[in-house]
Each structure stands twice: as structure tokens, then as C-alpha cells.
Amino acid sequence: MKRILVFFFVLICQFSFSQNINIGLLTDKDTPEVQPLLEQLKTEIRAVLGQGKTVNFKNVLSNNYNLETAKENYQSLINGNADIILAFGVMDNIVLSQQENYTKPVIVFGSINSDFINLPPERKTSEINNITYIIAPLSYKKDLDAFKTIYDYKNVGVLIEQYIIDALPLETIFDPYFQKERKKYRLIPLSENGISTSDLEGLDAVYLAGGFEFGDAQFDKLTSVINSKKLPSFSANRVKDVERGILATNQPQTNLNQFFRRIALNVEAIANGTNASELPLLLEYKNKLTINYNTAKQIDFPLRYAMLGTADFIGGELEPNTENMMSILDIMNGVLDKNLSLSSSEKSVELSGQDIKTAKSGYLPNVSAGVSGVYLDPRIAEISNGANPEFSTSGNVVLEQLIYSESASANIDIRKELQKAEQAIYDTNELDALLNATVAYFNALILKTNTSIQNQNLQVTKRNLEIAEQNFEAGESGKSDVLRFRSQLAQNMQSLIEARNQLQQAFFTINQLMNVSINKDIDILDAELSEGVFKNYKYDDFYKILDDPKLQPTLIEFLVQEAKKNSPELKNIDYNLNVTKRTYDLNDYGRFIPTVALQGQYNLAISQSGKGSTIPSGIPTAPDGTYNVGLNVSLPIFNQNQRNINRQSALIQKEQLGFERQNIELNIEKNVNDVVLDLINQIANIEISKVSEETAKESLDLTQNAYQQGAVPIIQLIDAQTNYLQAQLARSTANYNYLITSMQLERAIGYFFLTHSEDNNQEFIQRANQYILNKN
């Protein structure tokens, strides 16, 4: 008896393992974009049915949106050897709805929006022999409600294929909805070429209800038109549409996977003898608002922080702005050309040049001319014998020429030195401006990298959330893990937005330094040690010298020497010392040098009339024009003791400037030593951060796998993710911090490699090497 039972058991197993199932597929159009989805569906069905059943898929029958062809395709599967029919398409759904009975099991999915299906709440199955529908929470009205929560549109364009417009009574859904909401809409047919900008005139938003079968090129063209008009857009289809440029959708990331799993389970149930009429209709999943951060930025869409708690964000990675891409040299040159502080300082140098001209003008002749008219008491005029007539006019020309003045000569010398001192101040400001430019550039790079890493961390959190959801569905973890990662997802998105805003502020700083519009859209090229300009300007050679402890003391000596030689601050002190010395000399031996001046005058009697204008005979007549010339030599003997006081003040100023010079020299030595030590620290950080990042990445991978298997708690996974984030930030900023410190050293020595020619830089390196060789 046992042998007989075993024999029958083997027969049953052999029958079940050798069962063949033929599946026919109906669709409106078989496009290259649909093929990967169908392959994914086939793979899911085979995986669910297992190795005990052989699944054969018939060629996909497409109707190309023709109702008669759809009828013929369905009939061919009925007449053929198909065991189960899968239907996906509006035309196929219309054909199936017209059938009175179904001789073969049919599964209809994903073709009709739930707004068109009115089922009693208690109805859970089709209750029609051999047919079942998979009704997902796809709803035009719910989508538009969700769209309204992020943007209060007034007139929305509904993009949908023409054949759907012709086949479905869309107006019965949209007209009542928009009338109730007191808004407007316009149906816009989608063709294979998408739409044109003229189709969007008068609209303030776009609702994409079609385009599911669009390829990447078609979809990119579509989103380009929409986003060029800066119109907020919403997709009815899937998250992938948002990834490709649509602003938002209300569909979750995993809805397609759930679709395929439900279809596969239905196929399995039918293959095992369940009537399709008994299978559940509704496919339950929660809608989730998803927003594309990059699209929002592109169309200037305002993102409110309140959205972080209700929406998922994708994007956030930086798209390079090739049109306004700037290197560090571009920024440095822009600062030198247009920086307002430098321009103001440059005007100070020009003004000091005017002071020199004013001082030199003391040796230029001074010529003045005058005309005077006199009315004299006639009684006096009458007895003056013609010397003082009643009415008279006269003119004169006076010439004054300074031949030599020690005070004027000293003023010229002093003004020249002050101009040099002003130029030294400008040179100081220029070095500071260049340092500010490079620091702003590297800070922007740090923030740009931080933004990219925050986006990567966001993707890690999304992956961890998926694992947590899978573990929860499998009963391997509680819902608290899912909620924890959802909370972290919002926090990570906020960190990403803050990073983007901080980067924008860094760009504002760069624009301000270059004196361009603050809101100008710019981007910056990356910079790495031993790459690009930093390779050409011998930064790697400098790096190697710094990394050698034996050469560091000698190198510091050389750098201090160069810093003192180049320091504009020391030059400014020296020029002011020259001014003090010249002031002292003026009030010392200069007081014994006389001032010599020449003066000449020419007088002309123009007219005389009235009483006393006639000269009596016998009295000599004076000529109408007379002149005189004089030489003036003056030497102040005692000038209220001002000379001695000024001389003493000059001595005090000289001592004061001497102290300032010593202090600046000490500051230079300290700054060079401090920055070199900082550079050594940065070198260590570069090497350590590499190891730290690699270790943290490996630890995160291992912890993710262990958490997925239920071997470690959630807190350990969060710690691993946080450590990896910090390690990434440290690794990415280590090079930038080293280069910032390098720029601080170049400022300290008064020599920026990037602003000098390669020959000059090579000469600098050779002098450094020669100095080190001589000292060692």
C-alpha cells in the first residue's frame, strides 16, 4: 500500500512540475519603452509560479489604438491556445467591457483611471466569471488635489494622448471637478512629438495625464518645453517622470513592483484553479508626494520647509552651469579688475599723485592782473597838479616766482613718499582681496561638495528606508524602524536644502567680490592638489618640501625672508620713515636755508578825467606805464620755536614707526610659522581622511547587510551612516582646507603663485631650493 501511495505522489509531482501555462498579452502599443516593463512582468510571473510550471508568453499583440484591431487580437487569443489573457490598454479594456462572457481567464490592469469606475464599497471582486480587474489608487481628482497642496494653480493644462481623449469621457470627470474648485483647465493632445510652447499659452500649471510610453528623448523634449515656460508640473504616472524633469507626482516609488507582484499572484491563483471572478480588485498602496528639487530650482518654484514632512525629494545634485563656469583664476582676475574696495584704494593712490602735483606747483610762476577805477574828491584833485585826477582808471600785472624754498622742496619729497606709502596700502589691499577671493572660492567648493555628499546621504537613507520597510513587511522588525528612517529622510532633505542655500550664499560672496550682480547664476570648477592649475604652478613640489621634517626649518627661514622682502606693510612703514626723516631734516638744517623769490610788477594808467587831470606846464609828466622788479630772500630767525617742536615730533614718530616695523616683522615670522604648521596638519588630515572614508564605507555596507538580515539594531545602522557621512565630508574637504591654508601662506609671504608667470614661479622654487641647499 505504501508503494502505491508513493507511486501516485510521484505521478502528481511530475504532473505539477511539468504543467505548461500559455499567457497572451494585449496592449495598445508595443513600444521600446514598454518592452523592459513587460520583461520585468514576465520575470515576476515566472518567479512566483516557480520551477514547477513552465510559462510560455505569446507574442505581444498591440492594436495601435485601433478598436477593430483590438477586437481581432482578443479573438485570436480566445481561438488560440492561450490559457490566461493579460490586457493592458484603453482599447483592450473597451473591447473587454463589451463582452457578455469570457471563455478564458482575463486579467485587466493599469488601463482605466479609478475615477471612471464606480464600485459599491462592499464589492471586493469582479463577480464576473473568468475576469478580474486590478484597480489601483490612480485618480485624476486626487492628483489634482495633491497638486493644489503645493501650488494653487488657476488654469491647468491636462496633457493626454488624443486616442484617450477620443475613447474616454474625460469631460465627465474634469468639468465637475474644476467647476467645484472654481478653476479652469484645457485638454492638450499629446503626440509623438510632444507639445509646443504655444500649446501652453495662458496656463499657469501642467498636469501630465499621459506620456507613459514616451522614451527618454521624447520625455526630455516634453519637460524642456514645460520647464522653459517655468510652469509647475504634476505627473499622474510614476516617480520616474519626476526623475526625468516633471516637478511632482503623487505615485509612490514601488507601485509598479506591487502591480507586477499582484498580477503574478493572480496568474498563480488562476493556474491553481481559482476563478478570476474571486480575485480581489483593489490594489492598495499609499500615495506619496514626490518633488524634484532640481526642477523646482530651474523653474523658480518656491519650496516651503513645511513640505519636508509630507513629501519625498529627489534630485539635489548639482547640475553644472557650463555657461558661467569659473575657475579660481577667473575669480582672482575678476577681483583684481572690478573689486570695489580695490577700486577705492586705487583712487587713493591717484589722489596722492594729485598731492604731488600740488606740491610741485609751488615752483610754478604766479601771475595776476588787476584793473581799478578811482573817484577822488574834486577839491583834492584840483590842487594835486595833475598827480591825482578826479576820475582815473589803471591796471597792473604782478608776477611772483619762487626760486627756491626748502619747505616747498621738502613737501614735494614728502608727497612722493606718501604716494609710495599709499601704493603699498593698495598692494596690501590687493593681497587681502586675492586671499578673500581664493578663500571664497574654496569655501564654495567645500559647500558644493557638501551638497553632493548630503544628496548621497539622502539616497543612503532612502535605501535604508526600503530595507526597513521590507523587514517590517516580512515581520523581521517593527514599524518604529520605518518611522525612524522616514523622520531621518525629512531631516536629510532639510540638510540638503540648507547646504544648497549655503552654497548659493557662497556664490553671492564671489559675485560681490567681483562686483557683478549678486544674483548672477555662476558655477565653479573643481580644484585638486596636483591637478589643473595647481599642477602647473608647482604646488606638488611645495607639498613634498613641506612633508620633509628635515627641510622644514630651512624652508621656514626662506619663507620668512621672502615675506619680509615682499611685505607691503613693511614698505609702507619704510616710506613713512622716509617722510619722518625728511620732516626732521627740514626742521634741522633746513631752517638755515633761505627762501628765494622773484617778484615783478607792471602798472599802466589807462585814463584820467575831471578836475586835476591836466598837469600844469613846467611840471614833468610821468609815463603811462611803469614797472618794478624785486628779489626777496627771507630766513626765519625765530618761528615761535615751531622748528624745534616739529623736529622733536619727527624723532618721536621715527621711534614709533620703528616699533611698528619690529612688530610687523614679528607678526610675519609668527604667521609664516603658524601657517606652515597648519599645512603640516592638513597634510596629515589628507592621508588620515582617505583611510577613514574607506573604513566607514566598508562598515556601512556590512551594517546594511547585517540590518537587512536582522542581525543588528537600527541604531547601529544609523551610526554607521552618520560615520560615513562625516568621513566623506572630512575626506572631500581635506584637500580644499590644505589649499586654503596654502593661500594663507602665500598671503603671508606676499607672493601668489597663481598671479605670476610660470617662469617667475620656477625662479621662486629654484631660489628656495638653492637656499635650502646652502643651509644644509
Side-chain angles (χ1 to χ4, degrees), residues 1 3 15 27 55 90 98 107 177 186 193 216 246 254 276 308 331 343 391 469 528 637 644 694:
M1 184 66 180
R3 291 182 180 178
F15 176 78
T27 184
V55 183
V90 174
Q98 296 172 351
I107 301 174
Y177 177 84
R186 185 168 75 238
N193 295 324
D216 289 341
I246 293 295
T254 58
L308 294 174
I331 296 174
S343 298
F391 300 97
E469 289 174 339
E528 294 185 16
I637 298 175
N644 288 330
E694 293 171 358

PDB file of all heavy atoms in Angstrom, residues 1 3 15 27 55 90 98 107 177 186 193 216 246 254 276 308 331 343 391 469 528 637 644 694:
ATOM      1  N   MET A   1       0.824  -1.201   0.000  1.00  0.00           N
ATOM      2  CA  MET A   1       0.000   0.000   0.000  1.00  0.00           C
ATOM      3  C   MET A   1       0.865   1.260   0.000  1.00  0.00           C
ATOM      4  O   MET A   1       0.596   2.236  -0.706  1.00  0.00           O
ATOM      5  CB  MET A   1      -0.902  -0.008   1.259  1.00  0.00           C
ATOM      6  CG  MET A   1      -1.887   1.166   1.293  1.00  0.00           C
ATOM      7  SD  MET A   1      -3.091   1.041  -0.054  1.00  0.00           S
ATOM      8  CE  MET A   1      -4.050   2.504   0.265  1.00  0.00           C
ATOM      9  N   ARG A   3       3.827   1.539  -1.184  1.00  0.00           N
ATOM     10  CA  ARG A   3       4.452   1.703  -2.506  1.00  0.00           C
ATOM     11  C   ARG A   3       3.488   2.350  -3.485  1.00  0.00           C
ATOM     12  O   ARG A   3       3.875   3.187  -4.314  1.00  0.00           O
ATOM     13  CB  ARG A   3       4.888   0.338  -3.035  1.00  0.00           C
ATOM     14  CG  ARG A   3       6.044  -0.273  -2.262  1.00  0.00           C
ATOM     15  CD  ARG A   3       6.446  -1.606  -2.872  1.00  0.00           C
ATOM     16  NE  ARG A   3       7.553  -2.197  -2.133  1.00  0.00           N
ATOM     17  CZ  ARG A   3       8.097  -3.391  -2.429  1.00  0.00           C
ATOM     18  NH1 ARG A   3       7.601  -4.104  -3.429  1.00  0.00           N
ATOM     19  NH2 ARG A   3       9.117  -3.852  -1.714  1.00  0.00           N
ATOM     20  N   PHE A  15       3.396  15.649 -12.696  1.00  0.00           N
ATOM     21  CA  PHE A  15       2.388  16.394 -13.444  1.00  0.00           C
ATOM     22  C   PHE A  15       2.449  17.883 -13.118  1.00  0.00           C
ATOM     23  O   PHE A  15       2.403  18.733 -14.000  1.00  0.00           O
ATOM     24  CB  PHE A  15       1.001  15.831 -13.109  1.00  0.00           C
ATOM     25  CG  PHE A  15      -0.103  16.618 -13.767  1.00  0.00           C
ATOM     26  CD1 PHE A  15      -0.391  16.437 -15.109  1.00  0.00           C
ATOM     27  CD2 PHE A  15      -0.839  17.544 -13.030  1.00  0.00           C
ATOM     28  CE1 PHE A  15      -1.411  17.172 -15.706  1.00  0.00           C
ATOM     29  CE2 PHE A  15      -1.848  18.267 -13.636  1.00  0.00           C
ATOM     30  CZ  PHE A  15      -2.143  18.095 -14.977  1.00  0.00           C
ATOM     31  N   THR A  27      -1.976  44.816 -25.609  1.00  0.00           N
ATOM     32  CA  THR A  27      -1.629  46.185 -25.248  1.00  0.00           C
ATOM     33  C   THR A  27      -1.993  47.112 -26.395  1.00  0.00           C
ATOM     34  O   THR A  27      -2.184  46.664 -27.537  1.00  0.00           O
ATOM     35  CB  THR A  27      -0.133  46.322 -24.917  1.00  0.00           C
ATOM     36  OG1 THR A  27       0.136  47.660 -24.484  1.00  0.00           O
ATOM     37  CG2 THR A  27       0.733  46.023 -26.114  1.00  0.00           C
ATOM     38  N   VAL A  55       6.103  28.535 -18.045  1.00  0.00           N
ATOM     39  CA  VAL A  55       5.295  29.663 -18.512  1.00  0.00           C
ATOM     40  C   VAL A  55       5.753  30.044 -19.909  1.00  0.00           C
ATOM     41  O   VAL A  55       6.940  30.322 -20.137  1.00  0.00           O
ATOM     42  CB  VAL A  55       5.413  30.867 -17.565  1.00  0.00           C
ATOM     43  CG1 VAL A  55       4.508  32.006 -18.046  1.00  0.00           C
ATOM     44  CG2 VAL A  55       5.051  30.463 -16.139  1.00  0.00           C
ATOM     45  N   VAL A  90      -6.229  50.984 -23.087  1.00  0.00           N
ATOM     46  CA  VAL A  90      -7.569  51.558 -23.089  1.00  0.00           C
ATOM     47  C   VAL A  90      -8.457  50.848 -24.099  1.00  0.00           C
ATOM     48  O   VAL A  90      -9.598  50.478 -23.807  1.00  0.00           O
ATOM     49  CB  VAL A  90      -7.494  53.072 -23.375  1.00  0.00           C
ATOM     50  CG1 VAL A  90      -8.906  53.644 -23.525  1.00  0.00           C
ATOM     51  CG2 VAL A  90      -6.740  53.791 -22.276  1.00  0.00           C
ATOM     52  N   GLN A  98     -17.185  45.186 -23.510  1.00  0.00           N
ATOM     53  CA  GLN A  98     -18.318  44.914 -24.400  1.00  0.00           C
ATOM     54  C   GLN A  98     -18.652  43.427 -24.498  1.00  0.00           C
ATOM     55  O   GLN A  98     -19.642  43.056 -25.121  1.00  0.00           O
ATOM     56  CB  GLN A  98     -18.018  45.480 -25.801  1.00  0.00           C
ATOM     57  CG  GLN A  98     -17.871  46.999 -25.829  1.00  0.00           C
ATOM     58  CD  GLN A  98     -17.390  47.513 -27.175  1.00  0.00           C
ATOM     59  OE1 GLN A  98     -16.996  46.723 -28.047  1.00  0.00           O
ATOM     60  NE2 GLN A  98     -17.411  48.819 -27.347  1.00  0.00           N
ATOM     61  N   ILE A 107      -7.109  38.977 -17.080  1.00  0.00           N
ATOM     62  CA  ILE A 107      -6.665  39.910 -16.030  1.00  0.00           C
ATOM     63  C   ILE A 107      -6.451  41.271 -16.695  1.00  0.00           C
ATOM     64  O   ILE A 107      -5.630  41.407 -17.607  1.00  0.00           O
ATOM     65  CB  ILE A 107      -5.363  39.454 -15.357  1.00  0.00           C
ATOM     66  CG1 ILE A 107      -5.547  38.065 -14.714  1.00  0.00           C
ATOM     67  CG2 ILE A 107      -4.913  40.462 -14.307  1.00  0.00           C
ATOM     68  CD1 ILE A 107      -4.250  37.486 -14.153  1.00  0.00           C
ATOM     69  N   TYR A 177     -15.209  68.673 -11.565  1.00  0.00           N
ATOM     70  CA  TYR A 177     -14.141  68.921 -10.589  1.00  0.00           C
ATOM     71  C   TYR A 177     -13.688  70.378 -10.639  1.00  0.00           C
ATOM     72  O   TYR A 177     -13.611  71.053  -9.602  1.00  0.00           O
ATOM     73  CB  TYR A 177     -12.956  67.993 -10.855  1.00  0.00           C
ATOM     74  CG  TYR A 177     -11.784  68.259  -9.929  1.00  0.00           C
ATOM     75  CD1 TYR A 177     -11.743  67.694  -8.658  1.00  0.00           C
ATOM     76  CD2 TYR A 177     -10.734  69.087 -10.320  1.00  0.00           C
ATOM     77  CE1 TYR A 177     -10.685  67.953  -7.788  1.00  0.00           C
ATOM     78  CE2 TYR A 177      -9.681  69.354  -9.462  1.00  0.00           C
ATOM     79  CZ  TYR A 177      -9.651  68.784  -8.205  1.00  0.00           C
ATOM     80  OH  TYR A 177      -8.610  69.047  -7.351  1.00  0.00           O
ATOM     81  N   ARG A 186      -7.612  72.918 -19.610  1.00  0.00           N
ATOM     82  CA  ARG A 186      -7.673  72.748 -21.061  1.00  0.00           C
ATOM     83  C   ARG A 186      -7.005  71.432 -21.420  1.00  0.00           C
ATOM     84  O   ARG A 186      -5.880  71.168 -20.978  1.00  0.00           O
ATOM     85  CB  ARG A 186      -6.970  73.911 -21.772  1.00  0.00           C
ATOM     86  CG  ARG A 186      -7.112  73.848 -23.279  1.00  0.00           C
ATOM     87  CD  ARG A 186      -6.667  75.138 -23.971  1.00  0.00           C
ATOM     88  NE  ARG A 186      -5.230  75.293 -24.025  1.00  0.00           N
ATOM     89  CZ  ARG A 186      -4.559  76.308 -23.522  1.00  0.00           C
ATOM     90  NH1 ARG A 186      -5.197  77.268 -22.867  1.00  0.00           N
ATOM     91  NH2 ARG A 186      -3.250  76.377 -23.624  1.00  0.00           N
ATOM     92  N   ASN A 193       5.537  63.768 -30.995  1.00  0.00           N
ATOM     93  CA  ASN A 193       6.493  64.879 -30.936  1.00  0.00           C
ATOM     94  C   ASN A 193       6.275  65.751 -29.715  1.00  0.00           C
ATOM     95  O   ASN A 193       6.892  66.813 -29.599  1.00  0.00           O
ATOM     96  CB  ASN A 193       6.385  65.728 -32.200  1.00  0.00           C
ATOM     97  CG  ASN A 193       6.792  64.970 -33.449  1.00  0.00           C
ATOM     98  OD1 ASN A 193       7.711  64.151 -33.404  1.00  0.00           O
ATOM     99  ND2 ASN A 193       6.097  65.220 -34.551  1.00  0.00           N
ATOM    100  N   ASP A 216      13.001  58.252 -23.429  1.00  0.00           N
ATOM    101  CA  ASP A 216      13.749  59.283 -22.715  1.00  0.00           C
ATOM    102  C   ASP A 216      13.896  60.556 -23.547  1.00  0.00           C
ATOM    103  O   ASP A 216      13.742  61.672 -23.029  1.00  0.00           O
ATOM    104  CB  ASP A 216      15.127  58.745 -22.319  1.00  0.00           C
ATOM    105  CG  ASP A 216      15.039  57.710 -21.207  1.00  0.00           C
ATOM    106  OD1 ASP A 216      14.004  57.681 -20.515  1.00  0.00           O
ATOM    107  OD2 ASP A 216      16.001  56.930 -21.043  1.00  0.00           O
ATOM    108  N   ILE A 246       9.776  66.251 -14.478  1.00  0.00           N
ATOM    109  CA  ILE A 246       8.486  66.761 -14.014  1.00  0.00           C
ATOM    110  C   ILE A 246       8.639  67.190 -12.556  1.00  0.00           C
ATOM    111  O   ILE A 246       9.392  66.584 -11.786  1.00  0.00           O
ATOM    112  CB  ILE A 246       7.394  65.688 -14.168  1.00  0.00           C
ATOM    113  CG1 ILE A 246       7.145  65.404 -15.652  1.00  0.00           C
ATOM    114  CG2 ILE A 246       6.097  66.116 -13.500  1.00  0.00           C
ATOM    115  CD1 ILE A 246       6.582  66.572 -16.437  1.00  0.00           C
ATOM    116  N   THR A 254       7.246  52.445  -5.350  1.00  0.00           N
ATOM    117  CA  THR A 254       7.149  50.987  -5.517  1.00  0.00           C
ATOM    118  C   THR A 254       5.842  50.527  -6.150  1.00  0.00           C
ATOM    119  O   THR A 254       5.524  49.342  -6.118  1.00  0.00           O
ATOM    120  CB  THR A 254       7.286  50.304  -4.143  1.00  0.00           C
ATOM    121  OG1 THR A 254       6.252  50.808  -3.277  1.00  0.00           O
ATOM    122  CG2 THR A 254       8.631  50.576  -3.523  1.00  0.00           C
ATOM    123  N   ALA A 276     -11.118  33.705 -11.797  1.00  0.00           N
ATOM    124  CA  ALA A 276     -10.708  35.110 -11.779  1.00  0.00           C
ATOM    125  C   ALA A 276     -11.724  36.000 -11.094  1.00  0.00           C
ATOM    126  O   ALA A 276     -11.384  37.042 -10.521  1.00  0.00           O
ATOM    127  CB  ALA A 276     -10.453  35.600 -13.208  1.00  0.00           C
ATOM    128  N   LEU A 308       8.780  69.315   3.798  1.00  0.00           N
ATOM    129  CA  LEU A 308       9.724  68.268   4.164  1.00  0.00           C
ATOM    130  C   LEU A 308       9.048  67.125   4.913  1.00  0.00           C
ATOM    131  O   LEU A 308       9.475  65.973   4.821  1.00  0.00           O
ATOM    132  CB  LEU A 308      10.850  68.855   5.024  1.00  0.00           C
ATOM    133  CG  LEU A 308      11.773  69.858   4.320  1.00  0.00           C
ATOM    134  CD1 LEU A 308      12.741  70.451   5.322  1.00  0.00           C
ATOM    135  CD2 LEU A 308      12.513  69.183   3.191  1.00  0.00           C
ATOM    136  N   ILE A 331      38.178  83.993 -10.994  1.00  0.00           N
ATOM    137  CA  ILE A 331      37.708  84.763  -9.842  1.00  0.00           C
ATOM    138  C   ILE A 331      38.771  85.745  -9.383  1.00  0.00           C
ATOM    139  O   ILE A 331      38.473  86.919  -9.096  1.00  0.00           O
ATOM    140  CB  ILE A 331      37.304  83.806  -8.711  1.00  0.00           C
ATOM    141  CG1 ILE A 331      36.106  82.944  -9.150  1.00  0.00           C
ATOM    142  CG2 ILE A 331      36.957  84.577  -7.437  1.00  0.00           C
ATOM    143  CD1 ILE A 331      35.735  81.863  -8.156  1.00  0.00           C
ATOM    144  N   SER A 343      39.149  99.264  -6.129  1.00  0.00           N
ATOM    145  CA  SER A 343      38.951 100.467  -6.957  1.00  0.00           C
ATOM    146  C   SER A 343      39.030 101.721  -6.101  1.00  0.00           C
ATOM    147  O   SER A 343      39.618 102.722  -6.500  1.00  0.00           O
ATOM    148  CB  SER A 343      37.599 100.390  -7.666  1.00  0.00           C
ATOM    149  OG  SER A 343      37.546  99.278  -8.545  1.00  0.00           O
ATOM    150  N   PHE A 391      38.824 161.616 -11.799  1.00  0.00           N
ATOM    151  CA  PHE A 391      38.486 160.297 -12.321  1.00  0.00           C
ATOM    152  C   PHE A 391      39.722 159.651 -12.925  1.00  0.00           C
ATOM    153  O   PHE A 391      40.404 160.305 -13.730  1.00  0.00           O
ATOM    154  CB  PHE A 391      37.396 160.381 -13.391  1.00  0.00           C
ATOM    155  CG  PHE A 391      36.097 160.984 -12.900  1.00  0.00           C
ATOM    156  CD1 PHE A 391      35.813 162.319 -13.116  1.00  0.00           C
ATOM    157  CD2 PHE A 391      35.193 160.191 -12.214  1.00  0.00           C
ATOM    158  CE1 PHE A 391      34.623 162.856 -12.667  1.00  0.00           C
ATOM    159  CE2 PHE A 391      33.995 160.749 -11.773  1.00  0.00           C
ATOM    160  CZ  PHE A 391      33.707 162.077 -11.987  1.00  0.00           C
ATOM    161  N   GLU A 469      11.363  48.933   5.457  1.00  0.00           N
ATOM    162  CA  GLU A 469      10.004  48.588   5.020  1.00  0.00           C
ATOM    163  C   GLU A 469       9.908  47.104   4.653  1.00  0.00           C
ATOM    164  O   GLU A 469       8.918  46.439   4.960  1.00  0.00           O
ATOM    165  CB  GLU A 469       9.602  49.474   3.841  1.00  0.00           C
ATOM    166  CG  GLU A 469       9.351  50.931   4.232  1.00  0.00           C
ATOM    167  CD  GLU A 469       9.096  51.813   3.033  1.00  0.00           C
ATOM    168  OE1 GLU A 469       9.499  51.431   1.907  1.00  0.00           O
ATOM    169  OE2 GLU A 469       8.504  52.895   3.214  1.00  0.00           O
ATOM    170  N   GLU A 528      41.880  70.319  -7.366  1.00  0.00           N
ATOM    171  CA  GLU A 528      42.538  69.281  -6.574  1.00  0.00           C
ATOM    172  C   GLU A 528      44.041  69.499  -6.607  1.00  0.00           C
ATOM    173  O   GLU A 528      44.587  70.030  -7.575  1.00  0.00           O
ATOM    174  CB  GLU A 528      42.216  67.885  -7.117  1.00  0.00           C
ATOM    175  CG  GLU A 528      40.748  67.486  -6.980  1.00  0.00           C
ATOM    176  CD  GLU A 528      40.516  66.055  -7.428  1.00  0.00           C
ATOM    177  OE1 GLU A 528      41.506  65.319  -7.531  1.00  0.00           O
ATOM    178  OE2 GLU A 528      39.354  65.700  -7.674  1.00  0.00           O
ATOM    179  N   ILE A 637      64.221 133.677  11.668  1.00  0.00           N
ATOM    180  CA  ILE A 637      65.195 133.584  12.768  1.00  0.00           C
ATOM    181  C   ILE A 637      64.592 132.845  13.962  1.00  0.00           C
ATOM    182  O   ILE A 637      65.199 131.942  14.528  1.00  0.00           O
ATOM    183  CB  ILE A 637      65.667 134.993  13.168  1.00  0.00           C
ATOM    184  CG1 ILE A 637      66.373 135.641  11.972  1.00  0.00           C
ATOM    185  CG2 ILE A 637      66.592 134.929  14.381  1.00  0.00           C
ATOM    186  CD1 ILE A 637      66.774 137.084  12.222  1.00  0.00           C
ATOM    187  N   ASN A 644      61.859 123.560  16.396  1.00  0.00           N
ATOM    188  CA  ASN A 644      62.355 122.601  17.378  1.00  0.00           C
ATOM    189  C   ASN A 644      61.265 121.592  17.777  1.00  0.00           C
ATOM    190  O   ASN A 644      61.522 120.390  17.935  1.00  0.00           O
ATOM    191  CB  ASN A 644      62.857 123.339  18.623  1.00  0.00           C
ATOM    192  CG  ASN A 644      64.164 124.080  18.368  1.00  0.00           C
ATOM    193  OD1 ASN A 644      64.964 123.648  17.528  1.00  0.00           O
ATOM    194  ND2 ASN A 644      64.366 125.192  19.062  1.00  0.00           N
ATOM    195  N   GLU A 694      37.344  55.143   3.574  1.00  0.00           N
ATOM    196  CA  GLU A 694      37.286  53.756   3.090  1.00  0.00           C
ATOM    197  C   GLU A 694      36.750  52.823   4.176  1.00  0.00           C
ATOM    198  O   GLU A 694      35.923  51.940   3.912  1.00  0.00           O
ATOM    199  CB  GLU A 694      38.681  53.311   2.636  1.00  0.00           C
ATOM    200  CG  GLU A 694      39.187  54.053   1.395  1.00  0.00           C
ATOM    201  CD  GLU A 694      40.650  53.743   1.103  1.00  0.00           C
ATOM    202  OE1 GLU A 694      41.253  52.982   1.894  1.00  0.00           O
ATOM    203  OE2 GLU A 694      41.178  54.273   0.110  1.00  0.00           O
TER     204      GLU A 694
END
